[in-house]
Amino acid sequence: MKIAMPARNGQVNEHFGTTQEFAIIELENGKVKETRILSNEGLQHNHGGIANMLKNEKIEVIICGGIGGHMITALEQLGLKVVNGASGPLESVAEAYAAGTLVTRPVSCGCGGGGHHHHHHGGGCAH
């Protein structure tokens, strides 16, 4: 199973739209087999570009913190599963997901939502 997570300093980046890199984590038997970093330099806030980049990596699941509704839609339209509200060290989060023990706190600040227009100003998410 291959998972992508927006990454910053080895942790899940809580703001999907501003991330400059993704960790691509390959799991085998519930353990991390390989982790590599994929730069999305220049694609921040480019929903289609990011979604296609991840799809080309044969990703099945995206695990993230805060994410906008439009980005969720772009990813889901390509058949990718989106799990939001996660935080912590990348590999721990990936292994917890594989084990079915990942605890997520869907953010209530409008980072994720269906079809509504949300605008964040600064770091307004309550994490």
Side-chain angles (χ1 to χ4, degrees), residues 48-92:
I50 291 173
N52 283 313
M53 178 186 81
L54 296 174
K55 181 70 173 173
N56 290 341
E57 289 289 324
K58 310 275 191 283
I59 302 300
E60 295 166 58
V61 181
I62 288 133
I63 300 174
C64 55
I67 182 170
H70 294 296
M71 190 70 232
I72 291 177
T73 302
L75 294 165
E76 288 179 342
Q77 282 175 341
L78 291 178
L80 298 164
K81 181 176 179 186
V82 179
V83 177
N84 67 345
S87 62
L90 297 165
E91 295 186 347
S92 303

mmCIF file of all heavy atoms in Angstrom, residues 48-92:
data_model
loop_
_atom_site.group_PDB
_atom_site.id
_atom_site.type_symbol
_atom_site.label_atom_id
_atom_site.label_comp_id
_atom_site.label_asym_id
_atom_site.label_seq_id
_atom_site.Cartn_x
_atom_site.Cartn_y
_atom_site.Cartn_z
ATOM 1 N N GLY A 48 -5.452 20.401 -9.345
ATOM 2 C CA GLY A 48 -5.315 19.373 -10.372
ATOM 3 C C GLY A 48 -3.884 18.885 -10.502
ATOM 4 O O GLY A 48 -3.633 17.689 -10.661
ATOM 5 N N GLY A 49 -2.923 19.795 -10.423
ATOM 6 C CA GLY A 49 -1.518 19.426 -10.545
ATOM 7 C C GLY A 49 -1.077 18.495 -9.438
ATOM 8 O O GLY A 49 -0.427 17.476 -9.674
ATOM 9 N N ILE A 50 -1.441 18.826 -8.201
ATOM 10 C CA ILE A 50 -1.080 17.985 -7.062
ATOM 11 C C ILE A 50 -1.788 16.637 -7.162
ATOM 12 O O ILE A 50 -1.179 15.591 -6.971
ATOM 13 C CB ILE A 50 -1.421 18.683 -5.730
ATOM 14 C CG1 ILE A 50 -0.484 19.880 -5.530
ATOM 15 C CG2 ILE A 50 -1.314 17.705 -4.560
ATOM 16 C CD1 ILE A 50 -0.832 20.740 -4.329
ATOM 17 N N ALA A 51 -3.073 16.651 -7.464
ATOM 18 C CA ALA A 51 -3.834 15.398 -7.541
ATOM 19 C C ALA A 51 -3.237 14.463 -8.596
ATOM 20 O O ALA A 51 -3.045 13.274 -8.340
ATOM 21 C CB ALA A 51 -5.306 15.695 -7.856
ATOM 22 N N ASN A 52 -2.902 15.018 -9.765
ATOM 23 C CA ASN A 52 -2.321 14.187 -10.818
ATOM 24 C C ASN A 52 -0.928 13.685 -10.460
ATOM 25 O O ASN A 52 -0.573 12.549 -10.758
ATOM 26 C CB ASN A 52 -2.295 14.937 -12.157
ATOM 27 C CG ASN A 52 -3.677 14.966 -12.782
ATOM 28 O OD1 ASN A 52 -4.359 13.958 -12.863
ATOM 29 N ND2 ASN A 52 -4.103 16.146 -13.203
ATOM 30 N N MET A 53 -0.139 14.527 -9.804
ATOM 31 C CA MET A 53 1.200 14.115 -9.381
ATOM 32 C C MET A 53 1.104 12.908 -8.439
ATOM 33 O O MET A 53 1.830 11.932 -8.588
ATOM 34 C CB MET A 53 1.895 15.285 -8.675
ATOM 35 C CG MET A 53 3.280 14.958 -8.160
ATOM 36 S SD MET A 53 3.966 16.344 -7.188
ATOM 37 C CE MET A 53 3.159 16.058 -5.607
ATOM 38 N N LEU A 54 0.174 12.976 -7.505
ATOM 39 C CA LEU A 54 0.016 11.880 -6.544
ATOM 40 C C LEU A 54 -0.554 10.634 -7.229
ATOM 41 O O LEU A 54 -0.141 9.514 -6.943
ATOM 42 C CB LEU A 54 -0.859 12.318 -5.372
ATOM 43 C CG LEU A 54 -0.251 13.449 -4.525
ATOM 44 C CD1 LEU A 54 -1.245 13.921 -3.482
ATOM 45 C CD2 LEU A 54 1.042 12.992 -3.864
ATOM 46 N N LYS A 55 -1.501 10.830 -8.135
ATOM 47 C CA LYS A 55 -2.083 9.708 -8.862
ATOM 48 C C LYS A 55 -0.997 8.976 -9.654
ATOM 49 O O LYS A 55 -0.958 7.753 -9.691
ATOM 50 C CB LYS A 55 -3.188 10.229 -9.797
ATOM 51 C CG LYS A 55 -3.884 9.150 -10.598
ATOM 52 C CD LYS A 55 -4.753 8.276 -9.711
ATOM 53 C CE LYS A 55 -5.584 7.313 -10.540
ATOM 54 N NZ LYS A 55 -6.289 6.355 -9.688
ATOM 55 N N ASN A 56 -0.075 9.730 -10.258
ATOM 56 C CA ASN A 56 1.008 9.127 -11.030
ATOM 57 C C ASN A 56 1.958 8.308 -10.174
ATOM 58 O O ASN A 56 2.662 7.441 -10.679
ATOM 59 C CB ASN A 56 1.806 10.209 -11.780
ATOM 60 C CG ASN A 56 0.992 10.825 -12.908
ATOM 61 O OD1 ASN A 56 0.009 10.251 -13.357
ATOM 62 N ND2 ASN A 56 1.389 12.013 -13.333
ATOM 63 N N GLU A 57 1.970 8.576 -8.874
ATOM 64 C CA GLU A 57 2.811 7.813 -7.949
ATOM 65 C C GLU A 57 2.125 6.511 -7.504
ATOM 66 O O GLU A 57 2.653 5.799 -6.682
ATOM 67 C CB GLU A 57 3.126 8.660 -6.709
ATOM 68 C CG GLU A 57 4.069 9.800 -6.976
ATOM 69 C CD GLU A 57 5.491 9.328 -7.248
ATOM 70 O OE1 GLU A 57 5.937 8.349 -6.633
ATOM 71 O OE2 GLU A 57 6.159 9.961 -8.083
ATOM 72 N N LYS A 58 0.940 6.262 -8.019
ATOM 73 C CA LYS A 58 0.164 5.060 -7.643
ATOM 74 C C LYS A 58 -0.197 5.068 -6.152
ATOM 75 O O LYS A 58 -0.204 4.046 -5.476
ATOM 76 C CB LYS A 58 0.928 3.767 -7.972
ATOM 77 C CG LYS A 58 1.470 3.704 -9.395
ATOM 78 C CD LYS A 58 0.413 3.195 -10.357
ATOM 79 C CE LYS A 58 0.985 2.861 -11.720
ATOM 80 N NZ LYS A 58 1.260 4.038 -12.549
ATOM 81 N N ILE A 59 -0.499 6.250 -5.658
ATOM 82 C CA ILE A 59 -0.916 6.404 -4.261
ATOM 83 C C ILE A 59 -2.347 5.900 -4.111
ATOM 84 O O ILE A 59 -3.168 6.089 -4.997
ATOM 85 C CB ILE A 59 -0.875 7.905 -3.866
ATOM 86 C CG1 ILE A 59 0.526 8.481 -4.061
ATOM 87 C CG2 ILE A 59 -1.375 8.123 -2.457
ATOM 88 C CD1 ILE A 59 1.598 7.824 -3.271
ATOM 89 N N GLU A 60 -2.637 5.276 -2.971
ATOM 90 C CA GLU A 60 -4.002 4.837 -2.706
ATOM 91 C C GLU A 60 -4.697 5.754 -1.703
ATOM 92 O O GLU A 60 -5.895 5.981 -1.787
ATOM 93 C CB GLU A 60 -3.996 3.409 -2.139
ATOM 94 C CG GLU A 60 -3.471 2.380 -3.136
ATOM 95 C CD GLU A 60 -3.152 1.060 -2.459
ATOM 96 O OE1 GLU A 60 -4.057 0.475 -1.834
ATOM 97 O OE2 GLU A 60 -1.993 0.624 -2.544
ATOM 98 N N VAL A 61 -3.929 6.246 -0.741
ATOM 99 C CA VAL A 61 -4.515 7.012 0.355
ATOM 100 C C VAL A 61 -3.681 8.256 0.613
ATOM 101 O O VAL A 61 -2.447 8.199 0.557
ATOM 102 C CB VAL A 61 -4.532 6.166 1.661
ATOM 103 C CG1 VAL A 61 -5.164 6.944 2.812
ATOM 104 C CG2 VAL A 61 -5.263 4.859 1.449
ATOM 105 N N ILE A 62 -4.341 9.351 0.902
ATOM 106 C CA ILE A 62 -3.663 10.561 1.334
ATOM 107 C C ILE A 62 -4.086 10.822 2.768
ATOM 108 O O ILE A 62 -5.274 10.870 3.071
ATOM 109 C CB ILE A 62 -4.031 11.754 0.442
ATOM 110 C CG1 ILE A 62 -3.349 11.552 -0.907
ATOM 111 C CG2 ILE A 62 -3.513 13.056 1.034
ATOM 112 C CD1 ILE A 62 -4.191 11.756 -2.047
ATOM 113 N N ILE A 63 -3.106 10.955 3.641
ATOM 114 C CA ILE A 63 -3.377 11.243 5.043
ATOM 115 C C ILE A 63 -2.838 12.636 5.309
ATOM 116 O O ILE A 63 -1.688 12.941 4.978
ATOM 117 C CB ILE A 63 -2.696 10.211 5.964
ATOM 118 C CG1 ILE A 63 -3.212 8.809 5.639
ATOM 119 C CG2 ILE A 63 -2.958 10.566 7.431
ATOM 120 C CD1 ILE A 63 -2.517 7.699 6.389
ATOM 121 N N CYS A 64 -3.665 13.492 5.886
ATOM 122 C CA CYS A 64 -3.246 14.870 6.072
ATOM 123 C C CYS A 64 -3.899 15.465 7.311
ATOM 124 O O CYS A 64 -4.720 14.836 7.961
ATOM 125 C CB CYS A 64 -3.599 15.691 4.834
ATOM 126 S SG CYS A 64 -5.338 15.599 4.396
ATOM 127 N N GLY A 65 -3.520 16.709 7.602
ATOM 128 C CA GLY A 65 -4.150 17.456 8.689
ATOM 129 C C GLY A 65 -5.305 18.230 8.107
ATOM 130 O O GLY A 65 -6.321 17.669 7.710
ATOM 131 N N GLY A 66 -5.129 19.544 7.986
ATOM 132 C CA GLY A 66 -6.169 20.390 7.398
ATOM 133 C C GLY A 66 -6.065 20.387 5.885
ATOM 134 O O GLY A 66 -4.977 20.406 5.330
ATOM 135 N N ILE A 67 -7.202 20.351 5.211
ATOM 136 C CA ILE A 67 -7.242 20.336 3.742
ATOM 137 C C ILE A 67 -8.539 20.998 3.297
ATOM 138 O O ILE A 67 -9.572 20.858 3.959
ATOM 139 C CB ILE A 67 -7.132 18.888 3.197
ATOM 140 C CG1 ILE A 67 -7.114 18.857 1.668
ATOM 141 C CG2 ILE A 67 -8.232 18.003 3.765
ATOM 142 C CD1 ILE A 67 -6.773 17.492 1.079
ATOM 143 N N GLY A 68 -8.472 21.701 2.198
ATOM 144 C CA GLY A 68 -9.658 22.385 1.697
ATOM 145 C C GLY A 68 -10.595 21.454 0.942
ATOM 146 O O GLY A 68 -10.174 20.443 0.377
ATOM 147 N N GLY A 69 -11.851 21.807 0.927
ATOM 148 C CA GLY A 69 -12.864 20.998 0.255
ATOM 149 C C GLY A 69 -12.598 20.793 -1.225
ATOM 150 O O GLY A 69 -12.846 19.712 -1.759
ATOM 151 N N HIS A 70 -12.071 21.816 -1.904
ATOM 152 C CA HIS A 70 -11.804 21.678 -3.341
ATOM 153 C C HIS A 70 -10.705 20.658 -3.595
ATOM 154 O O HIS A 70 -10.745 19.909 -4.563
ATOM 155 C CB HIS A 70 -11.394 23.023 -3.956
ATOM 156 C CG HIS A 70 -12.513 24.027 -3.933
ATOM 157 N ND1 HIS A 70 -13.679 23.844 -4.641
ATOM 158 C CD2 HIS A 70 -12.643 25.191 -3.269
ATOM 159 C CE1 HIS A 70 -14.479 24.873 -4.405
ATOM 160 N NE2 HIS A 70 -13.873 25.701 -3.582
ATOM 161 N N MET A 71 -9.696 20.642 -2.720
ATOM 162 C CA MET A 71 -8.602 19.692 -2.884
ATOM 163 C C MET A 71 -9.104 18.272 -2.628
ATOM 164 O O MET A 71 -8.747 17.354 -3.360
ATOM 165 C CB MET A 71 -7.459 20.048 -1.918
ATOM 166 C CG MET A 71 -6.184 19.277 -2.163
ATOM 167 S SD MET A 71 -5.343 19.770 -3.692
ATOM 168 C CE MET A 71 -5.150 18.180 -4.460
ATOM 169 N N ILE A 72 -9.932 18.098 -1.621
ATOM 170 C CA ILE A 72 -10.506 16.764 -1.352
ATOM 171 C C ILE A 72 -11.248 16.283 -2.599
ATOM 172 O O ILE A 72 -11.081 15.147 -3.038
ATOM 173 C CB ILE A 72 -11.465 16.785 -0.133
ATOM 174 C CG1 ILE A 72 -10.674 17.028 1.150
ATOM 175 C CG2 ILE A 72 -12.251 15.474 -0.039
ATOM 176 C CD1 ILE A 72 -11.535 17.147 2.399
ATOM 177 N N THR A 73 -12.064 17.157 -3.181
ATOM 178 C CA THR A 73 -12.831 16.795 -4.375
ATOM 179 C C THR A 73 -11.904 16.396 -5.520
ATOM 180 O O THR A 73 -12.123 15.380 -6.179
ATOM 181 C CB THR A 73 -13.727 17.976 -4.811
ATOM 182 O OG1 THR A 73 -14.584 18.298 -3.717
ATOM 183 C CG2 THR A 73 -14.558 17.620 -6.017
ATOM 184 N N ALA A 74 -10.844 17.176 -5.745
ATOM 185 C CA ALA A 74 -9.909 16.875 -6.838
ATOM 186 C C ALA A 74 -9.262 15.504 -6.643
ATOM 187 O O ALA A 74 -9.099 14.733 -7.599
ATOM 188 C CB ALA A 74 -8.832 17.964 -6.923
ATOM 189 N N LEU A 75 -8.898 15.183 -5.410
ATOM 190 C CA LEU A 75 -8.258 13.902 -5.120
ATOM 191 C C LEU A 75 -9.251 12.746 -5.252
ATOM 192 O O LEU A 75 -8.944 11.716 -5.849
ATOM 193 C CB LEU A 75 -7.658 13.934 -3.708
ATOM 194 C CG LEU A 75 -6.500 14.919 -3.527
ATOM 195 C CD1 LEU A 75 -6.218 15.149 -2.058
ATOM 196 C CD2 LEU A 75 -5.249 14.441 -4.248
ATOM 197 N N GLU A 76 -10.439 12.938 -4.696
ATOM 198 C CA GLU A 76 -11.438 11.864 -4.738
ATOM 199 C C GLU A 76 -11.896 11.582 -6.161
ATOM 200 O O GLU A 76 -12.215 10.445 -6.496
ATOM 201 C CB GLU A 76 -12.614 12.199 -3.817
ATOM 202 C CG GLU A 76 -12.220 12.086 -2.351
ATOM 203 C CD GLU A 76 -13.338 12.424 -1.382
ATOM 204 O OE1 GLU A 76 -14.332 13.074 -1.792
ATOM 205 O OE2 GLU A 76 -13.219 12.041 -0.206
ATOM 206 N N GLN A 77 -11.900 12.612 -7.020
ATOM 207 C CA GLN A 77 -12.301 12.385 -8.407
ATOM 208 C C GLN A 77 -11.323 11.465 -9.129
ATOM 209 O O GLN A 77 -11.677 10.833 -10.110
ATOM 210 C CB GLN A 77 -12.415 13.722 -9.153
ATOM 211 C CG GLN A 77 -13.700 14.449 -8.811
ATOM 212 C CD GLN A 77 -13.781 15.831 -9.436
ATOM 213 O OE1 GLN A 77 -12.784 16.419 -9.844
ATOM 214 N NE2 GLN A 77 -14.984 16.364 -9.499
ATOM 215 N N LEU A 78 -10.090 11.389 -8.636
ATOM 216 C CA LEU A 78 -9.095 10.493 -9.236
ATOM 217 C C LEU A 78 -9.074 9.137 -8.538
ATOM 218 O O LEU A 78 -8.212 8.311 -8.808
ATOM 219 C CB LEU A 78 -7.701 11.136 -9.161
ATOM 220 C CG LEU A 78 -7.502 12.354 -10.068
ATOM 221 C CD1 LEU A 78 -6.117 12.933 -9.865
ATOM 222 C CD2 LEU A 78 -7.704 11.988 -11.530
ATOM 223 N N GLY A 79 -10.006 8.941 -7.614
ATOM 224 C CA GLY A 79 -10.096 7.637 -6.950
ATOM 225 C C GLY A 79 -9.200 7.494 -5.743
ATOM 226 O O GLY A 79 -8.979 6.386 -5.253
ATOM 227 N N LEU A 80 -8.682 8.604 -5.237
ATOM 228 C CA LEU A 80 -7.818 8.549 -4.063
ATOM 229 C C LEU A 80 -8.654 8.724 -2.804
ATOM 230 O O LEU A 80 -9.606 9.488 -2.787
ATOM 231 C CB LEU A 80 -6.761 9.651 -4.140
ATOM 232 C CG LEU A 80 -5.807 9.533 -5.331
ATOM 233 C CD1 LEU A 80 -5.075 10.843 -5.557
ATOM 234 C CD2 LEU A 80 -4.816 8.413 -5.101
ATOM 235 N N LYS A 81 -8.273 8.007 -1.745
ATOM 236 C CA LYS A 81 -8.980 8.138 -0.476
ATOM 237 C C LYS A 81 -8.285 9.212 0.342
ATOM 238 O O LYS A 81 -7.058 9.248 0.407
ATOM 239 C CB LYS A 81 -8.940 6.801 0.266
ATOM 240 C CG LYS A 81 -9.663 6.844 1.586
ATOM 241 C CD LYS A 81 -9.696 5.506 2.279
ATOM 242 C CE LYS A 81 -10.420 5.666 3.607
ATOM 243 N NZ LYS A 81 -10.391 4.462 4.414
ATOM 244 N N VAL A 82 -9.057 10.103 0.951
ATOM 245 C CA VAL A 82 -8.487 11.184 1.752
ATOM 246 C C VAL A 82 -8.880 10.991 3.216
ATOM 247 O O VAL A 82 -10.050 10.855 3.541
ATOM 248 C CB VAL A 82 -8.987 12.558 1.270
ATOM 249 C CG1 VAL A 82 -8.404 13.676 2.119
ATOM 250 C CG2 VAL A 82 -8.648 12.771 -0.197
ATOM 251 N N VAL A 83 -7.872 10.964 4.089
ATOM 252 C CA VAL A 83 -8.100 10.885 5.529
ATOM 253 C C VAL A 83 -7.519 12.166 6.112
ATOM 254 O O VAL A 83 -6.320 12.416 5.985
ATOM 255 C CB VAL A 83 -7.367 9.657 6.133
ATOM 256 C CG1 VAL A 83 -7.546 9.631 7.647
ATOM 257 C CG2 VAL A 83 -7.870 8.365 5.505
ATOM 258 N N ASN A 84 -8.370 13.003 6.709
ATOM 259 C CA ASN A 84 -7.831 14.243 7.265
ATOM 260 C C ASN A 84 -7.958 14.277 8.776
ATOM 261 O O ASN A 84 -8.549 13.396 9.381
ATOM 262 C CB ASN A 84 -8.450 15.474 6.604
ATOM 263 C CG ASN A 84 -9.910 15.652 6.907
ATOM 264 O OD1 ASN A 84 -10.577 14.739 7.388
ATOM 265 N ND2 ASN A 84 -10.428 16.819 6.631
ATOM 266 N N GLY A 85 -7.322 15.289 9.381
ATOM 267 C CA GLY A 85 -7.345 15.414 10.837
ATOM 268 C C GLY A 85 -6.233 14.658 11.524
ATOM 269 O O GLY A 85 -6.252 14.454 12.732
ATOM 270 N N ALA A 86 -5.222 14.200 10.759
ATOM 271 C CA ALA A 86 -4.110 13.449 11.341
ATOM 272 C C ALA A 86 -2.976 14.399 11.703
ATOM 273 O O ALA A 86 -2.826 15.461 11.116
ATOM 274 C CB ALA A 86 -3.604 12.406 10.345
ATOM 275 N N SER A 87 -2.157 14.000 12.671
ATOM 276 C CA SER A 87 -0.963 14.771 13.004
ATOM 277 C C SER A 87 0.053 13.841 13.633
ATOM 278 O O SER A 87 -0.294 12.778 14.137
ATOM 279 C CB SER A 87 -1.295 15.917 13.969
ATOM 280 O OG SER A 87 -1.795 15.393 15.173
ATOM 281 N N GLY A 88 1.315 14.257 13.580
ATOM 282 C CA GLY A 88 2.372 13.470 14.206
ATOM 283 C C GLY A 88 3.451 13.065 13.224
ATOM 284 O O GLY A 88 3.452 13.506 12.075
ATOM 285 N N PRO A 89 4.403 12.225 13.677
ATOM 286 C CA PRO A 89 5.499 11.774 12.823
ATOM 287 C C PRO A 89 4.966 10.943 11.660
ATOM 288 O O PRO A 89 4.092 10.091 11.845
ATOM 289 C CB PRO A 89 6.361 10.912 13.749
ATOM 290 C CG PRO A 89 5.933 11.262 15.143
ATOM 291 C CD PRO A 89 4.510 11.705 15.040
ATOM 292 N N LEU A 90 5.502 11.193 10.478
ATOM 293 C CA LEU A 90 4.995 10.568 9.253
ATOM 294 C C LEU A 90 4.894 9.052 9.340
ATOM 295 O O LEU A 90 3.850 8.476 9.052
ATOM 296 C CB LEU A 90 5.915 10.943 8.078
ATOM 297 C CG LEU A 90 5.963 12.437 7.754
ATOM 298 C CD1 LEU A 90 7.142 12.741 6.857
ATOM 299 C CD2 LEU A 90 4.663 12.893 7.121
ATOM 300 N N GLU A 91 5.989 8.393 9.716
ATOM 301 C CA GLU A 91 5.988 6.925 9.674
ATOM 302 C C GLU A 91 5.065 6.334 10.737
ATOM 303 O O GLU A 91 4.415 5.322 10.504
ATOM 304 C CB GLU A 91 7.418 6.403 9.751
ATOM 305 C CG GLU A 91 8.180 6.846 8.489
ATOM 306 C CD GLU A 91 9.585 6.280 8.359
ATOM 307 O OE1 GLU A 91 10.103 5.728 9.348
ATOM 308 O OE2 GLU A 91 10.148 6.404 7.249
ATOM 309 N N SER A 92 4.975 7.000 11.907
ATOM 310 C CA SER A 92 4.055 6.522 12.947
ATOM 311 C C SER A 92 2.610 6.615 12.467
ATOM 312 O O SER A 92 1.807 5.708 12.699
ATOM 313 C CB SER A 92 4.199 7.361 14.225
ATOM 314 O OG SER A 92 5.520 7.337 14.673
#
